[in-house]
Amino acid sequence: MIYKFASGVAIAFFLAAFNFPQLGPYLLSSLYHLYPDGFPGLALLLLRVSLGWLFILHGYPKITHLQQWAESVKMPVFLCFLSAASMLGGGIFLIVGFLTLLATLPILGSMIFAIYLEVSASKPFVAQDPYLIPENQYKGPLGKGEPPSWEKAFMYCVMLIAIAVLGPGAYSLDALIFGR
């Protein structure tokens, strides 16, 4: 619901600012009253919730198929459990913005290790576009798919570092409990 509202407000602001330049400052000041902590708080909320949801989506299948995942990456089950649990639990904590720094660090460790695994397997940073790969040269698990690379793990690291450095933002349990 908040996403629909925020995107509607953003679209209305841009349309009004381009069509009625004299309304731009008025709209902007009224939005600051609506969101007293400003757009940075909303941006951090969007980043935190999106990233948390993605890690839940990545962690849940890994924790429910732990043995199979451990065999596929050739790692001990215990290490795979720690990684999957950090993604699942850390994702939940990121969404609500609780103990945000402590939630980001274990996931960041998992992503750095994922980068290490990809680099040590000589995977490229950015894989060739799947549509440019000749037929029958690469098939993903469900047919043609994304070729292996470490780009995604790197981008997750960048986002986690941003949240760790900038904090959870005004719209979080951390801000509610510990103040700003």
Side-chain angles (χ1 to χ4, degrees):
M1 167 107 175
I2 193 167
Y3 297 118
K4 289 181 184 177
F5 179 73
S7 53
V9 167
I11 290 169
F13 172 74
F14 286 118
L15 289 176
F18 286 115
N19 292 324
F20 306 102
Q22 66 275 15
L23 285 180
Y26 172 74
L27 285 173
L28 190 59
S29 67
S30 65
L31 287 177
Y32 279 124
H33 292 296
L34 186 59
Y35 300 110
D37 295 309
F39 293 112
L42 287 175
L44 285 168
L45 174 68
L46 177 64
L47 179 62
R48 233 186 40 246
V49 169
S50 301
L51 195 58
W53 182 246
L54 288 171
F55 279 117
I56 289 172
L57 291 176
H58 282 291
Y60 181 76
K62 287 176 174 66
I63 212 158
T64 56
H65 300 93
L66 198 55
Q67 187 69 38
Q68 182 182 358
W69 181 49
E71 289 170 5
S72 72
V73 293
K74 298 174 181 70
M75 288 286 141
V77 174
F78 180 70
L79 288 179
C80 289
F81 171 77
L82 289 177
S83 178
S86 75
M87 288 181 211
L88 193 59
I92 293 168
F93 277 49
L94 281 174
I95 287 174
V96 297
F98 183 63
L99 299 175
T100 309
L101 179 60
L102 294 176
T104 59
L105 294 178
I107 304 172
L108 182 61
S110 289
M111 292 299 101
I112 290 171
F113 190 68
I115 290 172
Y116 166 77
L117 291 176
E118 297 293 332
V119 169
S120 64
S122 299
K123 303 288 174 45
F125 175 59
V126 177
Q128 186 177 6
D129 191 297
Y131 303 103
L132 300 177
I133 297 174
E135 195 63 35
N136 296 325
Q137 191 172 11
Y138 173 77
K139 295 286 184 185
L142 300 174
K144 196 162 194 157
E146 280 294 313
S149 72
W150 53 280
E151 170 189 7
K152 187 172 22 172
F154 174 77
M155 288 309 302
Y156 282 144
C157 286
V158 169
M159 290 183 274
L160 288 165
I161 290 169
I163 291 172
V165 169
L166 298 173
Y171 306 106
S172 65
L173 283 179
D174 284 346
L176 184 67
I177 295 169
F178 304 115
R180 291 177 215 184

